[in-house]
Amino acid sequence: MIVGHDKGLKRAIREVDLVAQTDSTALILGETGSGKELIARYIHQHSARVHSSFIRVNCGAIPAELIDSELFGHEKGSFTGAASQKKGWFERATGGTLFLDEIGELSLAAQVRLLRVLQEGTLTRVGGEREIDVDVRIVAATHRNLEESVKEGQFREDLWFRINVFPIRLPSLREREEDIADLTEHFARKASEKLGLPLALPTAQQINYLKKYNWPGNVRELQVIVERAAILGQGNFLAIEESLVLPLPSLDRGACAVPQVYSRTQVSTEFLTLNEALKLHITKALVHCRGRVEGPFGAAQLLAINPNTLRSKIKALGINKATIR
């Protein structure tokens, strides 16, 4: 699923559709969790290689001493522990797409081997002598600024030029809040299928609540929050507010300072009684917390009051918790 209303994402989607029809190397740039793998899979599924393998390799998760063996394979006995011949990821992806996630984490030595395979379309397994032809479409991704890495000597310039044929920048989720509603519904449906629960969809109020968050973990974090909300709601509702507790806004004491002198025209002549104002405030907190009083997601914590004290006030003010939704 790819959605998008803002200009940055629409441009990225147009670029994705264009490059998917070709066999060119694509480089996806974006923050961690912004959906780079989703885009890589979309490219593969809309390419002529759709009926062949799509293999994802997290370059940052492979120990430096194993990277050659994992990418290019090895022959039996080529090193201690090599009890049999092994095909690497390039051979396994032949005819399909190899997604090199976090390519910026590769060591310089591994970059040299990778560049040779990309340029010549052949590889030699560790411990082997025979050159093996590989036909692989490369989609790479990174959260790093590779141009800066080149300047700092951490990434080879020739490899940078080789993979930077068609760069695609993915905006972060905080740059595309218009997509939060569609993404939340999409993840709610996925959670329902995965967990075997009745489908519960987000309310308009919950979408507005989600839009107040900065989303440092991007799309991946939203997916986690929605799945947690589905588990907590058990198919009856999405417990968004329990899954994502927003930090309380800090007070701007300068802006909120009380003036020393008021005039009658500056003060409203319509007042709630103190008990009416307190009842309204507690009721709003209970609605926000779905009627929960105690615990990390309860109204008592939100109002910074002892739970037993809050229960007493609820009873004294005649607040009917059964009507709270």
Side-chain angles (χ1 to χ4, degrees):
M1 175 191 180
I2 298 182
V3 295
H5 302 284
D6 64 279
K7 293 180 180 179
L9 189 58
K10 281 185 176 180
R11 182 174 61 253
I13 293 170
R14 286 196 298 270
E15 293 171 349
V16 168
D17 284 331
L18 286 172
V19 77
Q21 301 169 31
T22 74
D23 216 26
S24 296
T25 300
L27 176 63
I28 306 170
L29 307 167
E31 295 180 7
T32 299
S34 58
K36 296 189 290 294
E37 182 176 352
L38 183 68
I39 295 297
R41 289 185 181 276
Y42 181 92
I43 290 172
H44 173 73
Q45 291 164 1
H46 291 78
S47 73
R49 296 175 180 263
V50 61
H51 299 297
S52 298
S53 299
F54 174 90
I55 295 180
R56 172 186 178 268
V57 180
N58 186 342
C59 299
I62 306 173
E65 63 272 16
L66 295 179
I67 191 71
D68 279 1
S69 173
E70 292 296 318
L71 285 176
F72 314 118
H74 64 250
E75 299 291 352
K76 180 179 178 179
S78 56
F79 55 85
T80 303
S84 61
Q85 183 191 79
K86 176 186 175 181
K87 290 184 177 180
W89 295 118
F90 268 91
E91 284 186 81
R92 296 183 199 182
T94 292
T97 302
L98 184 62
F99 175 42
L100 297 177
D101 198 7
E102 297 303 345
I103 193 171
E105 308 303 314
L106 283 177
S107 67
L108 288 170
Q111 292 175 32
V112 173
R113 292 283 305 268
L114 174 60
L115 179 63
R116 178 170 177 264
V117 176
L118 295 181
Q119 288 177 334
E120 301 178 12
T122 62
L123 60 83
T124 304
R125 297 188 191 125
V126 176
E129 298 180 356
R130 181 172 64 92
E131 288 194 344
I132 300 169
D133 292 330
V134 287
D135 173 25
V136 177
R137 199 267 180 84
I138 297 295
V139 178
T142 183
H143 71 281
R144 292 186 179 276
N145 184 329
L146 290 186
E147 200 165 2
E148 287 298 317
S149 296
V150 169
K151 293 177 183 177
E152 295 167 2
Q154 297 174 352
F155 201 84
R156 291 183 61 94
E157 186 176 41
D158 44 7
L159 179 58
W160 158 244
F161 289 140
R162 189 69 178 76
I163 64 173
N164 197 37
V165 176
F166 202 94
I168 300 166
R169 182 189 176 274
L170 284 187
S172 63
L173 186 55
R174 62 182 170 276
E175 297 175 80
R176 42 190 276 219
E177 73 168 24
E178 296 87 352
D179 283 332
I180 288 177
D182 288 339
L183 286 168
T184 302
E185 181 173 332
H186 172 66
F187 290 140
R189 294 183 184 280
K190 287 188 67 174
S192 171
E193 295 173 7
K194 176 181 177 180
L195 301 170
L197 293 170
L199 175 62
L201 294 175
T203 65
Q205 292 82 358
Q206 288 177 327
I207 295 301
N208 289 331
Y209 181 82
L210 292 172
K211 288 181 178 180
K212 296 177 182 177
Y213 187 52
N214 196 43
W215 297 108
N218 287 295
V219 176
R220 186 180 302 156
E221 185 179 11
L222 176 60
Q223 182 173 8
V224 170
I225 292 296
V226 173
E227 184 170 332
R228 186 186 305 151
I231 294 171
L232 290 171
Q234 285 297 292
N236 298 311
F237 61 92
L238 285 179
I240 294 291
E241 294 86 352
E242 294 184 30
S243 301
L244 176 67
V245 180
L246 294 177
L248 294 175
S250 59
L251 292 177
D252 182 348
R253 298 192 181 275
C256 299
V258 178
Q260 293 180 344
V261 178
Y262 284 106
S263 68
R264 287 181 57 85
T265 58
Q266 290 176 306
V267 180
S268 172
T269 56
E270 296 180 6
F271 292 93
L272 295 175
T273 67
L274 191 58
N275 278 346
E276 287 174 336
L278 185 58
K279 182 177 181 177
L280 178 62
H281 190 59
I282 290 175
T283 300
K284 287 173 66 178
L286 287 169
V287 169
H288 178 79
C289 298
R290 293 187 176 274
R292 177 173 293 188
V293 172
E294 197 166 353
F297 308 113
Q301 178 170 303
L302 190 64
L303 297 172
I305 188 174
N306 183 283
N308 291 330
T309 303
L310 180 58
R311 289 190 183 95
S312 296
K313 290 186 179 296
I314 290 171
K315 183 177 180 181
L317 294 167
I319 299 172
N320 185 358
K321 284 180 59 185
T323 63
I324 301 295
R325 292 290 184 270

